[in-house]
Amino acid sequence: MDIGVFLPTGQAQWAPAGDPRELIGFARRAEELGFASLFVNDSLLTPRIEPLTMLAALAPVTERIGLGTGALLPVLRRPVQAAQTLASVDLLSGGRLTVAVGAGFPGRFGRPLHELSQVPWERRFARLDETVALWRALWSGATEFRGEFHDFAELPPATAPFRPGGPPLWLGGATPAALARTGRDYDGWLPYPPDPRAYATGLGAVREAAREAGRDPGAVTPALFVNVRIDRDAAAAREVMDAYALANYGLPLAEVERIQAVALGTPEEVAAVLGRYAAAGARHVVARLGAMDLAGQAEQLERLAALTLPGSR
């Protein structure tokens, strides 16, 4: 199972005493330790380093580690310009980019983003899928695009990504509709179900949808977004993760873990949780590290490497 990590780009993870420029060193250390990927979050509702800016900064200072978004919200960006930016990051990284996308969720993390972006909330999933189709058309050299939301009789020459056809596109989400769309149209799946059994069921639905669409089910990467805190015991881990959840979501850990995958406690307890997701079919885990500052994030990075990456140094 490949292990990746989220960069702590949110201001709550490095302010007030931290310097976000230290994220460059964090990324380099993750590559040195042998992590498979570095992912970034996307939002307008919490202060953070803009994700594609962060990846562009990382592309020339790393060599092997994958770079990803989890999940990018296309609604925040004009689609043609976003395609150019993503192709540019893929070029600068030598083809190391993976783009996981999402459509947002009801409540405080959904509608306000659409209002700020002046994009209708209604039919957001159809708009997301069409935006992805437009990106692929641009990356493949299309000269026109006809869709419900985006209609271009003439497209200009687009920046070609490093890889023909562009970077892999994953979908975040675990509703029945999202599972069907993942299997039909996407290259990977990045959910965060709190129960490994739900992950296994969802992955089965993704693969069945792929088969029905005439695709190879094995071509859809089964990934997992999981919150991780390694500590001396479960009580100490929960205390920090609760503060982390409040700082990032305004919600206590007890509410977050009802909707998101969480692995916390001793190394053995965290390994047991990750093992259950591996048994359910996850093959690329992206861990969001629970720590309240950059020093704590760096410490968690070392602990996760010691637990999951044999031979890390």
Side-chain angles (χ1 to χ4, degrees):
M1 189 166 61
D2 290 335
I3 305 293
V5 292
F6 277 95
L7 277 164
T9 54
Q11 185 172 311
Q13 297 158 345
W14 46 261
D19 184 341
R21 291 173 293 184
E22 294 178 20
L23 293 170
I24 299 295
F26 183 98
R28 285 173 164 166
R29 180 57 179 159
E31 181 171 67
E32 183 180 62
L33 287 166
F35 282 97
S37 61
L38 287 163
F39 272 64
V40 288
N41 293 119
D42 193 16
S43 180
L44 286 178
L45 301 180
T46 54
R48 67 183 60 243
I49 303 299
E50 196 280 324
L52 301 184
T53 303
M54 186 76 250
L55 295 183
L58 294 180
V61 298
T62 57
E63 296 179 357
R64 302 175 304 280
I65 197 167
L67 304 177
T69 63
L72 191 74
L73 300 171
V75 69
L76 305 185
R77 300 163 180 83
R78 303 307 303 158
V80 174
Q81 288 87 340
Q84 181 175 9
T85 302
L86 291 166
S88 299
V89 174
D90 197 49
L91 278 170
L92 293 170
S93 68
R96 290 183 283 132
L97 179 64
T98 295
V99 184
V101 298
F105 299 93
R108 65 185 292 248
F109 299 106
R111 285 184 179 272
L113 290 173
H114 284 251
E115 292 169 1
L116 287 167
S117 303
Q118 299 179 314
V119 175
W121 171 255
E122 292 72 24
R123 308 211 64 236
R124 62 193 184 278
F125 299 112
R127 185 182 295 273
L128 171 66
D129 291 343
E130 187 176 294
T131 297
V132 166
L134 172 58
W135 289 350
R136 285 173 166 155
L138 284 161
W139 294 335
S140 298
T143 57
E144 67 173 2
F145 184 87
R146 300 293 187 178
E148 177 183 354
F149 308 101
H150 311 295
D151 194 306
F152 300 101
E154 185 176 352
L155 289 171
T159 302
F162 184 87
R163 286 164 291 187
L169 289 158
W170 297 359
L171 184 64
T175 65
L179 299 174
R181 290 160 52 233
T182 300
R184 184 179 65 243
D185 297 323
Y186 289 83
D187 305 306
W189 184 45
L190 184 64
Y192 47 53
D195 187 337
R197 292 170 296 182
Y199 186 93
T201 300
L203 181 57
V206 167
R207 289 174 170 167
E208 180 58 29
R211 278 189 288 269
E212 291 177 355
R215 304 179 65 204
D216 175 9
V220 181
T221 300
L224 173 73
F225 176 132
V226 59
N227 299 279
V228 171
R229 171 74 189 184
I230 302 172
D231 218 316
R232 63 182 183 275
D233 55 44
R238 290 193 67 84
E239 182 178 356
V240 176
M241 284 295 289
D242 190 54
Y244 182 90
L246 287 167
N248 283 275
Y249 289 122
L251 299 172
L253 175 62
E255 292 189 33
V256 171
E257 63 188 350
R258 283 201 290 266
I259 57 175
Q260 291 190 357
V262 176
L264 55 80
T266 64
E268 294 76 16
E269 289 170 323
V270 170
V273 173
L274 296 181
R276 287 194 286 273
Y277 281 102
R283 292 296 175 264
H284 192 124
V285 167
V286 189
R288 184 166 60 181
L289 305 175
M292 297 301 295
D293 54 34
L294 287 178
Q297 288 279 332
E299 182 181 54
Q300 286 296 305
L301 185 73
E302 300 289 336
R303 291 182 183 180
L304 184 61
L307 177 64
T308 62
L309 304 175
S312 63
R313 59 191 188 281

